[in-house]
Amino acid sequence: MLTRIDHIGIACRNLDETVEFYRATYGFEVFHTEVNEEQGVREAMLKINETSDGGASYLQLLEPTREDSAVGKWLAKNGEGVHHIAFGTADVDGDAAAIRDKGVRVLYDQPRIGSMGSRITFLHPKDCHGVLTELVTSAPAEQTEH
Protein backbone atom coordinates (compact mmCIF):
# COMPACT_ATOMS: atom_id res chain seq x y z
CA MET A 1 0.00 0.00 0.00
CA LEU A 2 1.32 3.43 -0.93
CA THR A 3 1.79 5.43 2.27
CA ARG A 4 3.03 8.91 1.35
CA ILE A 5 4.50 11.19 -1.25
CA ASP A 6 8.15 10.19 -0.86
CA HIS A 7 9.49 12.92 -3.12
CA ILE A 8 8.92 15.11 -6.11
CA GLY A 9 11.77 14.96 -8.61
CA ILE A 10 12.73 18.25 -10.24
CA ALA A 11 15.09 18.36 -13.22
CA CYS A 12 17.53 21.27 -13.23
CA ARG A 13 20.50 22.46 -15.26
CA ASN A 14 22.61 23.62 -12.30
CA LEU A 15 22.18 21.73 -9.04
CA ASP A 16 24.06 24.23 -6.87
CA GLU A 17 22.02 27.21 -8.12
CA THR A 18 18.75 25.30 -7.72
CA VAL A 19 19.64 24.16 -4.18
CA GLU A 20 20.42 27.78 -3.29
CA PHE A 21 17.04 28.92 -4.67
CA TYR A 22 15.13 26.41 -2.50
CA ARG A 23 17.28 27.26 0.55
CA ALA A 24 16.97 31.05 0.16
CA THR A 25 13.31 31.06 -0.89
CA TYR A 26 11.75 28.36 1.29
CA GLY A 27 14.39 27.58 3.91
CA PHE A 28 14.80 23.96 2.76
CA GLU A 29 18.20 22.48 3.57
CA VAL A 30 20.04 19.65 1.86
CA PHE A 31 19.58 16.36 3.69
CA HIS A 32 21.59 14.16 1.30
CA THR A 33 23.59 14.43 -1.93
CA GLU A 34 24.93 11.77 -4.25
CA VAL A 35 25.90 10.98 -7.81
CA ASN A 36 24.07 8.05 -9.39
CA GLU A 37 26.33 6.93 -12.23
CA GLU A 38 23.85 4.35 -13.51
CA GLN A 39 21.12 6.96 -13.92
CA GLY A 40 23.54 9.72 -14.96
CA VAL A 41 22.49 12.28 -12.35
CA ARG A 42 23.88 14.35 -9.53
CA GLU A 43 21.18 14.92 -6.96
CA ALA A 44 20.27 16.65 -3.74
CA MET A 45 17.47 15.55 -1.43
CA LEU A 46 15.84 18.41 0.51
CA LYS A 47 13.78 17.12 3.45
CA ILE A 48 10.38 18.76 3.73
CA ASN A 49 8.90 16.86 6.69
CA GLU A 50 8.75 13.61 8.63
CA THR A 51 5.78 11.31 8.06
CA SER A 52 3.69 9.14 10.37
CA ASP A 53 5.05 5.90 8.83
CA GLY A 54 8.63 6.74 9.82
CA GLY A 55 9.58 8.02 6.38
CA ALA A 56 9.92 11.55 5.13
CA SER A 57 8.93 13.70 2.18
CA TYR A 58 11.59 15.35 0.03
CA LEU A 59 12.23 17.45 -3.02
CA GLN A 60 14.76 15.63 -5.20
CA LEU A 61 16.75 18.00 -7.38
CA LEU A 62 18.32 16.24 -10.38
CA GLU A 63 21.12 17.58 -12.57
CA PRO A 64 22.17 15.28 -15.43
CA THR A 65 25.84 14.31 -15.52
CA ARG A 66 25.56 13.36 -19.19
CA GLU A 67 23.26 14.41 -22.02
CA ASP A 68 22.23 10.83 -22.88
CA SER A 69 20.82 10.11 -19.39
CA ALA A 70 17.04 9.90 -18.99
CA VAL A 71 17.01 13.20 -17.06
CA GLY A 72 19.38 14.80 -19.59
CA LYS A 73 17.11 13.87 -22.49
CA TRP A 74 14.02 14.97 -20.58
CA LEU A 75 15.62 18.30 -19.67
CA ALA A 76 16.64 18.95 -23.30
CA LYS A 77 13.07 18.31 -24.45
CA ASN A 78 11.07 19.90 -21.62
CA GLY A 79 13.35 22.31 -19.78
CA GLU A 80 13.61 22.61 -16.03
CA GLY A 81 10.69 21.53 -13.89
CA VAL A 82 8.83 18.64 -12.31
CA HIS A 83 10.20 15.38 -13.69
CA HIS A 84 8.34 12.79 -11.59
CA ILE A 85 6.40 12.07 -8.43
CA ALA A 86 7.40 9.25 -6.10
CA PHE A 87 5.15 7.39 -3.68
CA GLY A 88 6.54 5.63 -0.63
CA THR A 89 5.69 2.01 0.07
CA ALA A 90 6.90 -0.65 2.48
CA ASP A 91 6.86 -3.20 -0.37
CA VAL A 92 7.95 -1.89 -3.77
CA ASP A 93 7.92 -5.43 -5.22
CA GLY A 94 4.39 -6.24 -4.10
CA ASP A 95 2.92 -2.87 -4.98
CA ALA A 96 4.60 -2.86 -8.42
CA ALA A 97 3.18 -6.32 -9.11
CA ALA A 98 -0.32 -5.27 -7.98
CA ILE A 99 -0.20 -2.15 -10.13
CA ARG A 100 1.10 -4.17 -13.11
CA ASP A 101 -1.88 -6.52 -12.66
CA LYS A 102 -4.13 -3.48 -13.14
CA GLY A 103 -2.65 -2.89 -16.60
CA VAL A 104 -0.03 -0.25 -15.79
CA ARG A 105 3.39 -0.79 -17.33
CA VAL A 106 6.19 -1.09 -14.76
CA LEU A 107 9.46 0.03 -16.33
CA TYR A 108 11.88 -2.26 -14.44
CA ASP A 109 11.47 -6.02 -14.14
CA GLN A 110 13.21 -5.86 -10.77
CA PRO A 111 13.50 -2.78 -8.54
CA ARG A 112 16.81 -0.91 -8.72
CA ILE A 113 18.83 0.95 -6.12
CA GLY A 114 17.79 4.60 -5.85
CA SER A 115 18.62 7.57 -3.64
CA MET A 116 19.94 6.93 -0.16
CA GLY A 117 19.96 3.15 -0.73
CA SER A 118 16.24 2.90 -1.47
CA ARG A 119 14.67 0.33 -3.79
CA ILE A 120 12.77 1.88 -6.71
CA THR A 121 10.84 1.26 -9.86
CA PHE A 122 8.96 3.53 -12.27
CA LEU A 123 5.52 3.38 -13.87
CA HIS A 124 5.06 4.40 -17.50
CA PRO A 125 3.76 7.98 -17.75
CA LYS A 126 1.39 7.09 -20.61
CA ASP A 127 -0.41 4.75 -18.21
CA CYS A 128 -0.46 7.36 -15.40
CA HIS A 129 -2.13 10.31 -17.13
CA GLY A 130 1.17 11.77 -18.31
CA VAL A 131 2.98 11.58 -14.97
CA LEU A 132 6.20 9.59 -14.62
CA THR A 133 5.57 7.83 -11.30
CA GLU A 134 8.14 6.20 -9.05
CA LEU A 135 7.55 3.68 -6.27
CA VAL A 136 10.08 3.82 -3.40
CA THR A 137 10.88 1.58 -0.47
CA SER A 138 13.24 3.54 1.76
CA ALA A 139 16.41 1.98 3.12
CA PRO A 140 16.52 1.43 6.89
CA ALA A 141 17.04 4.75 8.72
CA GLU A 142 20.64 4.02 9.67
CA GLN A 143 21.53 3.82 5.97
CA THR A 144 19.94 7.12 4.90
CA GLU A 145 21.99 9.71 6.79
CA HIS A 146 23.95 12.01 4.47
Side-chain angles (χ1 to χ4, degrees):
M1 177 175 77
L2 305 180
T3 57
R4 69 185 182 287
I5 295 175
D6 184 86
H7 67 269
I8 298 171
I10 299 172
C12 62
R13 289 188 175 88
N14 184 305
L15 185 64
D16 297 327
E17 287 178 7
T18 307
V19 164
E20 180 55 24
F21 169 81
Y22 281 96
R23 189 203 60 71
T25 305
Y26 306 116
F28 298 152
E29 296 295 336
V30 173
F31 177 77
H32 176 84
T33 60
E34 70 181 80
V35 174
N36 185 318
E37 296 293 343
E38 179 185 356
Q39 294 181 18
V41 295
R42 187 173 84 119
E43 67 177 79
M45 296 293 273
L46 286 61
K47 186 186 272 187
I48 307 305
N49 67 315
E50 302 289 335
T51 61
S52 62
D53 67 355
S57 293
Y58 302 90
L59 286 180
Q60 179 187 47
L61 306 179
L62 300 159
E63 175 190 52
T65 59
R66 57 181 199 270
E67 291 179 12
D68 68 339
S69 69
V71 172
K73 291 176 186 176
W74 188 91
L75 191 60
K77 180 180 178 184
N78 300 292
E80 294 184 305
V82 175
H83 179 261
H84 66 275
I85 187 167
F87 295 110
T89 172
D91 181 9
V92 69
D93 299 274
D95 283 338
I99 291 169
R100 181 183 286 119
D101 288 346
K102 294 177 181 178
V104 175
R105 288 174 281 180
V106 177
L107 299 183
Y108 303 151
D109 290 331
Q110 297 294 319
R112 296 182 181 177
I113 300 301
S115 300
M116 300 184 294
S118 62
R119 296 183 69 243
I120 66 166
T121 194
F122 285 91
L123 309 178
H124 200 292
K126 289 184 179 179
D127 297 342
C128 299
H129 297 272
V131 178
L132 178 61
T133 303
E134 182 179 7
L135 304 180
V136 178
T137 295
S138 298
E142 63 272 6
Q143 293 179 19
T144 60
E145 293 301 314
H146 307 279

